[in-house]
Amino acid sequence: NTSQLKRRTNIMPLSDFQTMLWACKTFKPRASKLNIVSRKRIQGTFDIQGLHVAFKSVLQKHLILSYHISNMLPIQFRCKTKAIKIIENHLQAMSPKDVENRLWDSMLELTRFSKWTANSALVRAKLFYLNNNMVELQLAVPHIISDGISIEILFNEL
């Protein structure tokens, strides 16, 4: 059957590290799950449409960002992912201390984010507009597909 063959080609085994994380999630579901997070500040005029195009290009290049881990078996499968949603926040009216607190709270929320759905890319993006023509882009990717080096590669490619 062609559809069964197509489904099979979208399935990949987990790496040893991914299998360990899958087993932890399966047998200790209440254990803390942490994401890999990072942030970059950029000064100057910011092109949000350009960022959407860059994310689309990265999704096409790095298929792992479209794979999801099965809940029942230690396998991963490719999903048709939609574009990465960028959550925009305007903080220009806040005091510098409140801005830093808000940015820190956002990083903590991204670290603990756990609602990765089957048809969403495995990247969570938040964009903060700051004073003095500054923006901060915060990214999170699940630890099961990424490490600290991978997220820096993602930033470089964007």
Side-chain angles (χ1 to χ4, degrees):
N1 186 336
T2 307
S3 65
Q4 286 178 330
L5 179 61
K6 190 172 184 178
R7 270 189 251 128
R8 246 185 257 136
T9 60
N10 286 333
I11 295 174
M12 291 178 43
L14 299 179
S15 69
D16 291 341
F17 179 70
Q18 287 176 314
T19 301
M20 181 186 70
L21 290 175
W22 175 84
C24 179
K25 177 184 173 189
T26 301
F27 300 110
K28 286 286 252 175
R30 294 181 189 248
S32 290
K33 295 161 191 74
L34 302 178
N35 299 313
I36 304 297
V37 298
S38 189
R39 64 194 209 180
K40 300 287 181 195
R41 283 201 183 170
I42 304 156
Q43 185 164 20
T45 305
F46 193 79
D47 179 6
I48 187 69
Q49 291 310 107
L51 183 59
H52 283 287
V53 170
F55 270 126
K56 183 177 180 180
S57 175
V58 166
L59 276 176
Q60 290 172 347
K61 183 176 180 182
H62 297 287
L63 297 180
I64 191 68
L65 297 173
S66 298
Y67 274 79
H68 286 269
I69 310 298
S70 170
N71 288 331
M72 301 298 174
L73 298 169
I75 59 171
Q76 56 189 327
F77 54 93
R78 187 161 178 223
C79 295
K80 289 187 176 186
T81 55
K82 300 173 185 167
I84 294 171
K85 180 181 177 189
I86 302 167
I87 300 165
E88 294 182 76
N89 297 277
H90 294 269
L91 305 182
Q92 298 96 326
M94 297 174 76
S95 73
K97 182 180 178 184
D98 289 340
V99 166
E100 289 307 316
N101 287 337
R102 179 84 180 271
L103 294 172
W104 179 250
D105 289 345
S106 174
M107 290 292 286
L108 290 176
E109 184 271 328
L110 287 173
T111 300
R112 295 182 183 118
F113 181 78
S114 62
K115 295 178 179 156
W116 302 100
T117 58
N119 287 327
S120 66
L122 296 177
V123 176
R124 185 132 170 107
K126 290 185 175 186
L127 183 65
F128 295 89
Y129 296 94
L130 311 173
N131 287 323
N132 301 322
N133 238 3
M134 297 280 290
V135 294
E136 179 168 305
L137 178 60
Q138 297 180 352
L139 299 179
V141 290
H143 194 223
I144 201 160
I145 65 136
S146 185
D147 59 21
I149 295 170
S150 299
I151 201 162
E152 291 306 314
I153 292 169
L154 178 60
F155 267 115
N156 287 338
E157 291 197 7
L158 288 174

